[in-house]
Structure formats: structure tokens, C-alpha cells
Amino acid sequence: MKTWLTRCLLGGLLVTSPALAQDDDAPYAYPEDEPARDEQQEAEEDAYERRRRQVDETDDFRRVSEEEGEEGDFKELAGVDDPNIGFAVELIGGALLLDSSEGNFAKTVAGLGLRATWEYGRTFNLEPLRENLWADLRWTYGSYSDGTDFIRGDTGVHYFTVAPAYELKLGKTSLGIFGQLGGGIGYQTTSITIDAAETKVNGIKPVFQYGVGLRGRPRLSNKLSLSFRVEAMGFRRGYLNDIFLGGSIGTAF
């Protein structure tokens, strides 16, 4: 019986495969044992990712800007990122040289006024015309007195004009040189006082406006700009030619 058991045990040992120990040269790599990433490699990968996003955004913008309208015309996007509306209001001040009906040198008086400006070139949605075409709705006033204590004459002249203009921008600055032509009406009020008796004479004449100047619109904020001008403007009423030399200042939005 012992001989039989001994033979069974020896046979089992011969059939069983040997258990080998793990090779110490290739240990199991735990997550905490992985080498740290190289900082330079991370920086290069981040830079590549940023460049890739910029290229994608540029391609998207180009694709949108090159979209065609219903009739196949190129769609201009000149006004997409412009926060300004194109309106300005300015106070006017300067010297008004009123032509003399007596043939003498012009009477120089203070010229005051107010104007509103509309950049109607924005309605065309074309970049070269957006700030180059604009028009003024303008009121200008000047007055003077002449005579003695017994006989005195007081005269006031009002100009109400509408005048479009074209401006040439000076490079990338906010400045531009402009020429302007327009028209309107001139309203003149005259009162003649003799002793205590006063006689008033009022009249209206058509006015032709013309002139040149320098216009600036430096930006104060995202939607607000300082608007100013220096100009030489003429007002032709009948045979009289009045000249305004001065400027204006206000705000544009």
C-alpha cells in the first residue's frame, strides 16, 4: 500500500509544471511610478493647441465673410464690429465776416451756432465710404449794431443749411480733410430805431454754403468719441458773400 502511494506522489510531481519566480528586471509599473512629463513638451503642446484654435477661428470668420447673398453678391461685413451709430452734435464758434452792402470791408462779428452731423455713408455698408460721406444740419448766427444814440440799426443774420461733405482720411488717424457744399436759407432781421420809434424789417434769401476744413474724431470710449473741426466756410446770399472762420467741438456716438 505504501509503495502504491509513493508511486502516485512521484507521478503527480512529474506532471505538474514548475512555478517560476517573476523576473525582477521587468517589475510591474504602478501609476505612481510613471515618469513625470517634460515641461518643455507640455509648453510646446499648449502652444500648438492655441495656434490650432486661432486657425480654426480665422477659417470660420473667412467662411462667414465670404458667404454670398441670395443673388450671389458678395456680402459686405464692414459694420459688423463697429459700435458707433454715426451721429454727432457740436457747438460752433468763431469769427463771422459779414459782407457789407455799402462796399466797405466786411463787418467782423462773433459767429455762433449748432450743428448735427450724420455719417450717411454707413448706410452703404462699404468700408471706403463709411466715415468719408457725411452731412450737416447747421444753424449759424451773427449780429451787429451801427448808428448813433438817436438813430441806430441792429441787424441779425441766421443761416439754416444742409450740406453734404466728402472727407479724405489722414492715414490711420482719426483726422481728415473735407470739402463741403450745400444750401439753405438766410433769415435776416433788421430793426431801425429813431429816437423812441422802432421799425423792423425781416427778410429771407436762399443761401449757398461752401468750404473746407479739418475734422477729427478721437475715441473716448468704445461707443463715444470727441468730435471737433477747424473750418473756413462761405455763405452766399444774393450778392453778399459772408465768411465764417472758426471751429466746433462736441461728441460723436
Side-chain angles (χ1 to χ4, degrees), residues 65-232:
S65 64
E66 292 177 354
E67 286 182 353
E68 294 183 347
E70 296 179 358
E71 299 180 358
D73 298 330
F74 181 77
K75 183 185 294 185
E76 293 283 351
L77 300 176
V80 172
D81 59 348
D82 192 345
N84 294 325
I85 301 175
F87 291 99
V89 178
E90 299 174 0
L91 295 174
I92 302 172
L96 183 60
L97 283 65
L98 296 174
D99 201 354
S100 175
S101 59
E102 302 171 354
N104 299 327
F105 184 75
K107 297 180 181 296
T108 303
V109 301
L112 304 174
L114 180 68
R115 70 164 144 236
T117 302
W118 174 39
E119 294 177 353
Y120 66 90
R122 295 172 179 267
T123 60
F124 301 115
N125 203 28
L126 296 174
E127 189 65 29
L129 301 180
R130 288 185 57 77
E131 296 184 1
N132 297 76
L133 291 179
W134 43 268
D136 287 336
L137 177 62
R138 173 174 179 151
W139 165 67
T140 310
Y141 170 75
S143 64
Y144 65 92
S145 299
D146 197 5
T148 64
D149 292 339
F150 183 73
I151 301 176
R152 186 179 72 256
D154 299 308
T155 301
V157 182
H158 303 259
Y159 306 99
F160 301 95
T161 58
V162 176
Y166 182 79
E167 180 179 345
L168 292 175
K169 305 298 290 185
L170 299 179
K172 299 296 184 178
T173 68
S174 62
L175 300 175
I177 299 174
F178 68 89
Q180 192 170 25
L181 294 174
I185 60 173
Y187 177 63
Q188 179 173 326
T189 63
T190 302
S191 64
I192 300 175
T193 304
I194 302 176
D195 198 4
E198 182 180 13
T199 302
K200 293 184 177 181
V201 179
N202 302 329
I204 295 178
K205 286 186 178 182
V207 169
F208 173 67
Q209 178 184 338
Y210 60 95
V212 295
L214 176 69
R215 177 175 181 248
R217 288 202 334 155
R219 180 163 293 184
L220 300 177
S221 65
N222 188 36
K223 295 184 178 181
L224 188 66
S225 299
L226 176 68
S227 180
F228 68 88
R229 290 189 217 175
V230 178
E231 62 185 11

